[in-house]
Amino acid sequence: MGLISYEMEITSSVPAAKLFKAFVLDADNLIPKILPQAIKSVEIIQGDGGVGTIKVISFGEGSQYKSVKHQVDGLDKDKFVYNYSIIEGDALMGVLEKISYETKIEASSDGGSICKNSSIYHTKGDAGITEDQIKGGKEKALGMFKAVETYLLANPDAYN
């Protein structure tokens, strides 16, 4: 098995606690509302939302993928850290065992936040994944982040 990783950092004017509540803790409800073309629905099939929870995420009409199984690997509500893995689904493209993610949201000195994301692609055997495939995943993640940020800026009383 091979490992391919990448990191991405995004700054936001939204405070860290508010961003974590919306982008992580309530993402299963919020993202299908504001981006139905990307995420159609999220269904918990095992667990209570904490570590060990398994969800089925169904993608919207605009996605090239149908669905994935998402497993919660870690959740620290005090430090704003969320770890999860994609463990099944067509987004693994038959060449990946899983994709592991960490999202860490930190307060910035200007009252906003810095969102640090890291991903590790666990490939099957000698299988590879292209830079374009990784770039596509990064762009989708950035698009979802920006949609949540835009929602929070337009709705300042949400998630206080």
Side-chain angles (χ1 to χ4, degrees):
M1 173 174 31
L3 299 176
I4 300 166
S5 62
Y6 80 81
E7 294 183 6
M8 178 170 62
E9 199 170 286
I10 310 163
T11 59
S12 174
S13 60
V14 176
K18 181 181 238 183
L19 192 56
F20 190 78
K21 283 180 193 175
F23 190 61
V24 174
L25 299 180
D26 196 43
D28 296 352
N29 297 313
L30 181 61
I31 292 175
K33 266 196 280 189
I34 63 174
L35 283 174
Q37 69 277 20
I39 304 289
K40 183 174 159 185
S41 65
V42 180
E43 176 189 359
I44 293 178
I45 59 171
Q46 178 182 315
D48 61 4
V51 174
T53 295
I54 296 177
K55 307 172 186 183
V56 173
I57 299 172
S58 297
F59 296 107
E61 300 293 322
S63 177
Q64 68 192 79
Y65 305 117
K66 184 179 175 189
S67 66
V68 294
K69 275 192 183 172
H70 168 128
Q71 177 178 294
V72 178
D73 299 323
L75 178 61
D76 188 329
K77 295 177 184 179
D78 297 322
K79 293 183 180 174
F80 308 135
V81 178
Y82 182 52
N83 300 86
Y84 66 97
S85 297
I86 301 300
I87 56 171
E88 283 182 27
D90 53 354
L92 296 178
M93 302 170 289
V95 297
L96 298 170
E97 291 285 340
K98 69 178 181 175
I99 308 170
S100 301
Y101 298 92
E102 179 177 85
T103 298
K104 185 176 192 178
I105 301 175
E106 300 174 347
S108 59
S109 60
D110 62 3
S113 55
I114 301 167
C115 182
K116 297 179 178 183
N117 292 297
S118 61
S119 304
I120 301 173
Y121 292 79
H122 302 258
T123 61
K124 292 180 178 179
D126 293 335
I129 186 167
T130 68
E131 284 294 320
D132 284 344
Q133 289 167 316
I134 291 173
K135 184 179 174 188
K138 284 169 102 171
E139 288 171 357
K140 287 176 185 157
L142 180 61
M144 273 196 251
F145 180 88
K146 289 298 184 184
V148 170
E149 179 185 48
T150 299
Y151 175 84
L152 292 173
L153 293 172
N155 296 279
D157 295 331
Y159 298 98
N160 286 332

